[in-house]
Amino acid sequence: MSKFKTVIWPKVILFGDSITQFSFQANGWGADIANKLARKCDVVNRGLSGYNSRWAKIILPRLISSHSSADNNNNIAAVTVFFGANDCALEDKNPQQHVPVQEYSENLKEISRLLTSSGVSADRVIFITPPPVHEAAWEKECILKGCPLNRHNSAAGQYAQACVQAAGQCGADVLDLWTLMQKDEQDYTVYLSDGLHLSARGNQFVAQHLWGLLESRVADLPFILPYWGDVDAKDPESSLLCDQ
């Protein structure tokens, strides 16, 4: 039997669609958060391109075990839930991804309930609304794929509002990107690469605002394993195998 304890890194889980899946690309918002939390926390990318809240609710139990939740999930410092950009697709143009706004709201609440039942309390959950849609730019992408414009910014706004309300009802925090990116009539198009997904500035925007919500949840996490200068060079085991 081992004489020393296994080092367990706390986790921040990023759960979402393509905007989350792509967040570990160079200068991505997920990579920025992971860099900030190096030696303190594992940032786990569970982004699933093209997914909506209906499918997310179904697969979440496969991603976070409900068995021995006290052991498995107490080390989860935070979970971001970032869906809506696909749910808000227009039903007549993109029925595959579309989810009605009322069902979207219920799905988010069910995701929160599933997390709670797995030992991840609502105060560790951060909902993120879909960002705005730049219709002219996204329409060009749609045409390249041989389909008509399948998202409207006004629809994304309805889903963002539903996300904010669901978060309030669940007791979770929320990052309202749709509102923040358009605040004071600023040019939100600079935050989007193709009218839907994030540009470099958009990733920076998300990282900055998400860190504002995340920082308090990870502030007390210790630096894992001793600083190299504190390791006893003559007896490294005494430093490296202690219960830190």
Side-chain angles (χ1 to χ4, degrees):
M1 188 172 172
S2 173
K3 289 188 266 184
F4 52 84
K5 285 170 67 177
T6 301
V7 179
I8 298 175
W9 259 251
K11 293 180 197 166
V12 169
I13 297 175
L14 311 180
F15 184 41
D17 53 32
S18 59
I19 302 176
T20 296
Q21 182 177 319
F22 301 160
S23 73
F24 273 30
Q25 293 177 347
N27 302 311
W29 62 269
D32 185 282
I33 297 295
N35 181 54
K36 283 185 168 73
L37 290 174
R39 286 284 288 276
K40 288 192 166 192
C41 207
D42 281 341
V43 178
V44 182
N45 188 328
R46 293 292 178 264
L48 301 156
S49 178
Y51 275 51
N52 56 32
S53 64
R54 182 185 293 160
W55 303 343
K57 176 185 69 175
I58 294 168
I59 52 118
L60 180 59
R62 299 185 65 190
L63 304 182
I64 297 182
S65 170
S66 60
H67 302 297
S68 307
S69 60
D71 295 329
N72 293 336
N73 296 335
N74 270 354
N75 69 324
I76 296 176
V79 178
T80 61
V81 179
F82 192 174
F83 290 96
N86 296 315
D87 299 68
C88 76
L90 304 176
E91 184 175 15
D92 59 334
K93 303 292 195 301
N94 186 353
Q96 171 82 356
Q97 292 177 301
H98 171 80
V99 172
V101 68
Q102 184 57 42
E103 184 194 335
Y104 167 70
S105 176
E106 292 303 320
N107 290 341
L108 292 181
K109 287 184 266 190
E110 179 61 18
I111 286 168
S112 178
R113 283 192 287 270
L114 287 167
L115 288 169
T116 299
S117 68
S118 298
V120 182
S121 54
D123 61 339
R124 287 185 270 166
V125 178
I126 301 170
F127 285 144
I128 306 176
T129 76
V133 176
H134 182 217
E135 293 170 20
W138 185 242
E139 185 172 28
K140 290 178 182 175
E141 295 294 318
C142 290
I143 290 169
L144 286 173
K145 295 173 185 174
C147 60
L149 176 66
N150 57 22
R151 286 168 175 79
H152 289 160
N153 191 38
S154 58
Q158 292 172 1
Y159 285 72
Q161 187 177 15
C163 180
V164 170
Q165 290 172 347
Q169 291 167 350
C170 294
D173 249 333
V174 64
L175 174 55
D176 184 356
L177 290 181
W178 191 87
T179 299
L180 283 172
M181 286 182 167
Q182 298 178 92
K183 193 176 178 183
D184 301 324
E185 298 185 1
Q186 63 182 303
D187 179 14
Y188 70 87
T189 65
V190 300
Y191 299 127
L192 303 170
S193 62
D194 57 6
L196 181 67
H197 301 96
L198 300 175
S199 65
R201 281 185 63 178
N203 275 281
Q204 187 179 24
F205 186 97
V206 173
Q208 177 188 341
H209 286 84
L210 179 57
W211 184 246
L213 296 175
L214 199 53
E215 190 172 14
S216 63
R217 291 168 170 82
V218 297
D220 295 333
L221 295 178
F223 197 63
I224 295 174
L225 294 172
Y227 172 65
W228 71 267
D230 294 334
V231 175
D232 184 337
K234 294 179 180 176
D235 182 15
E237 287 84 359
S238 66
S239 304
L240 300 177
L241 299 182
C242 63
D243 289 343
Q244 185 190 357

